[in-house]
Amino acid sequence: MDIVYIRGLQVETVIGIYDWEREIRQTVCIDLDLGTDIRTAAHADDIDSTLNYKSIADRLITFISGSEFLLIEALAEEIATLLMDEFSVPWLRLQLGKPGAVPEARDVGIIIERGEKR
């Protein structure tokens, strides 16, 4: 299995459980590994034969910036479902961070894996 990745994608959204968090936009940061097979794209030198990280990033920015989740866990699950359904990703590893949520830490968040490696 090959991996197309995106690192450090930052998107502003409404996220959090506290009343004050529901009234502001906060930055979430995404690191993403997407399982795929790049051989066809490499042989054909054709973007339509692979996962287009620009299209994926644009879709995530649109989705996340328009969302209003309480928990990053819920946001992570919805991102995983979106990627697997809309981009036919068989496996992914997603790190979703909420920098600034704990002032004493550079970042806090979760890491999930979904699907099966082929």
Side-chain angles (χ1 to χ4, degrees):
M1 174 173 290
D2 305 311
I3 294 176
V4 170
Y5 70 89
I6 297 172
R7 298 284 182 264
L9 182 65
Q10 296 184 10
V11 184
E12 289 193 0
T13 188
V14 175
I15 186 89
I17 60 171
Y18 300 108
D19 290 341
W20 65 268
E21 289 181 299
R22 309 307 300 157
E23 297 175 13
I24 65 167
R25 298 183 71 73
Q26 298 181 72
T27 300
V28 294
C29 186
I30 298 166
D31 288 341
L32 189 59
D33 294 329
L34 304 167
T36 191
D37 184 341
I38 68 161
R39 289 177 286 192
T40 300
H43 185 269
D45 202 15
D46 179 18
I47 190 66
D48 292 329
S49 300
T50 192
L51 294 173
N52 183 329
Y53 49 78
K54 174 67 170 133
S55 295
I56 291 169
D58 288 346
R59 179 65 176 104
L60 290 177
I61 291 166
T62 298
F63 173 73
I64 296 166
S65 65
S67 70
E68 293 190 11
F69 288 94
L70 296 173
L71 300 176
I72 61 171
E73 290 85 350
L75 177 55
E77 283 295 332
E78 290 299 318
I79 291 170
T81 299
L82 179 152
L83 292 170
M84 296 177 93
D85 290 350
E86 293 185 22
F87 294 92
S88 302
V89 174
W91 172 88
L92 64 84
R93 180 178 187 271
L94 168 69
Q95 179 172 327
L96 180 60
K98 192 173 166 187
V102 175
E104 297 80 12
R106 180 182 45 185
D107 193 14
V108 297
I110 60 169
I111 298 172
I112 64 171
E113 285 189 29
R114 296 294 178 267
E116 295 192 25
K117 288 186 179 180
R118 295 181 190 168

